[in-house]
Amino acid sequence: MKTGYGSFRMADMKKLQESFMKEAIIPYKVTASFPAFLIFELQYIIEVNEGTAFGAQFGYESTGGRLHYGDYSGESYANQALDAFTVGFNASEYLKSEEKYAIPIFINVDAVFTSLKIESSLRVGHQQETEQLKFSSIGISFEPGVGYRRYFSSFVLGFDVGYEINLNDRLYFSEDKQAYLTDDNDNPLKAQWSGLRMKLGAGIR
């Protein structure tokens, strides 16, 4: 089991957020713009010999953007909530392996299932209107990296640093799979999960 911190490029999503601000009559302020956030990963690894290991993994990551405005008469917000489930395999080769510790280099290859929920809301007095749009995409990611493993009698502690390279498809509208999210020039927008990954983990030997 691993948990850590991930940064996310999300250039297209930031472009969409800027477009919301330009087109809106309401003077929104950016309160979140796809920040680095917690990531989670569950791995099963088999050592085939002293220097090589293979396995499978399942992961989850999320981030989002938020625009907000409020005054005495009411408030309004526009949210872009993104999350992704990943499933795939990994391979590692040990640069150094001793009885008490090891230093592996690794590659994780995953299918990435992304969901985007765009929610806008306007409240004036006691009246409120909310609208939601949902999109999804499937992509693939590659994460090369290096780690450190400290062995104990029946368990292991570890630390990994890697960089995820994400190749994602366009974001299709949940109610019409022929429609997808675009910018003002009709270019498809994508969820770009590429970024730095730092993870701490613990497992049973």
Side-chain angles (χ1 to χ4, degrees), residues 5 8 10 18 22 24 26 29 47 53 56 63 66 69 73 86 88 108 114 129 143 156-158 177 183-184:
Y5 218 53
F8 313 107
M10 294 297 170
E18 291 172 0
K22 289 178 182 177
I26 298 169
K29 290 184 178 180
E47 293 187 358
T63 187
R66 181 176 174 86
Y69 176 78
S73 63
T86 63
N108 296 334
T114 297
E129 292 185 4
E143 182 194 342
V156 58
L157 297 178
K177 294 303 182 182
D183 63 15
D184 295 336

Side-chain angles (χ1 to χ4, degrees), residues 13 16-34 64-70 75-81 116-123 128-133:
M13 294 297 97
L16 180 62
Q17 188 179 56
E18 291 172 0
S19 178
F20 284 158
M21 288 191 68
K22 289 178 182 177
E23 296 176 3
I25 300 173
I26 298 169
Y28 283 121
K29 290 184 178 180
V30 177
T31 57
S33 186
F34 309 96
R66 181 176 174 86
L67 304 176
H68 181 266
Y69 176 78
E75 69 170 345
S76 179
Y77 64 80
N79 291 344
Q80 295 162 259
L116 167 64
K117 182 173 73 173
I118 299 176
E119 181 177 274
S120 58
S121 180
L122 174 64
R123 179 180 60 81
Q128 182 167 355
E129 292 185 4
T130 301
E131 181 181 11
Q132 285 187 2
L133 299 174

Side-chain angles (χ1 to χ4, degrees), residues 1-185:
M1 177 71 179
K2 297 179 182 179
T3 185
Y5 218 53
S7 64
F8 313 107
R9 182 167 175 258
M10 294 297 170
D12 284 0
M13 294 297 97
K14 292 175 182 177
K15 185 191 300 183
L16 180 62
Q17 188 179 56
E18 291 172 0
S19 178
F20 284 158
M21 288 191 68
K22 289 178 182 177
E23 296 176 3
I25 300 173
I26 298 169
Y28 283 121
K29 290 184 178 180
V30 177
T31 57
S33 186
F34 309 96
F37 201 64
L38 293 174
I39 54 177
F40 304 93
E41 190 173 82
L42 183 64
Q43 284 189 327
Y44 179 74
I45 296 174
I46 299 174
E47 293 187 358
V48 295
N49 56 50
E50 290 186 359
T52 306
F54 296 96
Q57 72 251 345
F58 175 82
Y60 176 78
E61 51 196 7
S62 63
T63 187
R66 181 176 174 86
L67 304 176
H68 181 266
Y69 176 78
D71 59 21
Y72 67 93
S73 63
E75 69 170 345
S76 179
Y77 64 80
N79 291 344
Q80 295 162 259
L82 277 157
D83 61 15
F85 290 94
T86 63
V87 60
F89 67 90
N90 59 76
S92 56
E93 188 75 20
Y94 294 103
L95 297 176
K96 191 172 182 64
S97 181
E98 303 288 347
E99 182 181 353
K100 294 292 185 180
Y101 74 94
I103 300 174
I105 56 172
F106 62 85
I107 178 76
N108 296 334
V109 181
D110 290 295
V112 182
F113 301 89
T114 297
S115 296
L116 167 64
K117 182 173 73 173
I118 299 176
E119 181 177 274
S120 58
S121 180
L122 174 64
R123 179 180 60 81
V124 179
H126 297 293
Q127 302 295 318
Q128 182 167 355
E129 292 185 4
T130 301
E131 181 181 11
Q132 285 187 2
L133 299 174
K134 294 182 179 181
F135 301 84
S136 62
S137 70
I138 301 175
I140 189 170
S141 70
F142 305 89
E143 182 194 342
V146 63
Y148 176 81
R149 306 286 181 266
R150 180 68 169 88
Y151 299 124
F152 299 90
S153 58
S154 59
F155 67 98
V156 58
L157 297 178
F159 175 71
D160 291 341
V161 178
Y163 190 90
E164 182 175 317
I165 301 165
N166 181 254
L167 305 173
N168 232 352
D169 197 3
R170 57 193 67 184
L171 287 153
Y172 288 95
F173 186 37
S174 62
E175 296 181 11
D176 181 359
K177 294 303 182 182
Q178 300 301 313
Y180 52 87
L181 194 61
T182 65
D183 63 15
D184 295 336
N185 297 315

